Amino acid sequence: MANLGGERAARISSVKDAIRTGLTYTSHQDTPVLFPDVMKTISCAVNRITKNGVELSKDQSISVMEALKAVTIYAAY
């Protein structure tokens, strides 16, 4: 948050906007910066809670199915 400011940080990874505009989207981990954990990636997309417990813009939350697509079929595409 300190680097981007609260308003910009809250809208980071705006996947819901991508879905609304019909874009194919993916989710990933920045390994080796973070230990790979696909379930955590899915959880972050659905719940919009950072690893430090900060809640990001809830209007960008996506469904579990949309998050699963991001790490499976859309990533393969």
Side-chain angles (χ1 to χ4, degrees):
M1 291 266 205
N3 292 339
L4 297 175
E7 187 176 334
R8 282 182 61 205
R11 297 212 29 91
I12 200 162
S13 300
S14 301
V15 178
K16 191 64 147 190
D17 286 346
I19 293 169
R20 289 179 186 136
T21 58
L23 295 173
T24 301
Y25 56 94
T26 64
S27 293
H28 66 282
Q29 292 95 36
D30 290 331
T31 307
V33 176
L34 298 172
F35 187 75
D37 185 343
V38 175
M39 295 306 288
K40 185 166 283 219
T41 299
I42 292 168
S43 175
C44 288
V46 172
N47 299 305
R48 301 283 294 169
I49 306 287
T50 70
K51 68 178 184 166
N52 295 327
V54 176
E55 184 175 291
L56 302 174
S57 180
K58 283 295 197 185
D59 73 321
Q60 292 299 314
S61 294
I62 61 175
S63 71
V64 173
M65 184 58 71
E66 290 166 329
L68 284 169
K69 289 177 182 178
V71 298
T72 58
I73 61 174
Y74 293 164
Y77 174 77

